[in-house]
Amino acid sequence: TVLWAKSNFPVITVSKSSIRPLTFIEKYIEVYKSVIDEKKLTIILDVGIERVKGDVTLTEIIFRNVVANAVKYSNVHGKITIS
């Protein structure tokens, strides 16, 4: 993902900081809530890591894509587990 970001955004600067992954996961679950409800999906969050070191922007892109793809490719009445 970092290589993809650098090739698509050549002026990107990676700046590491302490990040709480659950913040981004919860944010994008809320963004996709209408589709989650429409598809009657069950979301299970079992994130055992409180904090990670990484670039905030790149980390947000990663989690947005994970949640978006999980919702998009799940069947109706499906279950999404993020751990």
Side-chain angles (χ1 to χ4, degrees):
T1 302
V2 173
L3 292 176
W4 173 87
K6 284 184 177 182
S7 67
N8 286 289
F9 306 99
V11 293
I12 195 166
T13 303
V14 176
S15 176
K16 289 185 181 180
S17 58
S18 180
I19 302 167
R20 185 174 174 263
L22 198 54
T23 301
F24 296 118
I25 295 167
E26 290 170 338
K27 174 181 177 178
Y28 286 103
I29 286 173
E30 188 60 35
V31 167
Y32 292 101
K33 180 127 178 64
S34 64
V35 180
I36 291 167
D37 291 345
E38 182 180 311
K39 292 179 84 172
K40 297 177 178 24
L41 299 175
T42 300
I43 308 291
I44 298 170
L45 297 179
D46 185 21
V47 180
I49 298 172
E50 183 64 29
R51 296 204 166 271
V52 296
K53 277 280 213 196
D55 182 83
V56 173
T57 303
L58 293 177
T59 302
E60 184 165 8
I61 290 168
I62 291 165
F63 284 112
R64 181 187 66 216
N65 288 341
V66 167
V67 173
N69 286 336
V71 170
K72 180 178 181 178
Y73 294 110
S74 290
N75 294 323
V76 173
H77 295 286
K79 177 171 64 171
I80 297 170
T81 303
I82 301 173
S83 58

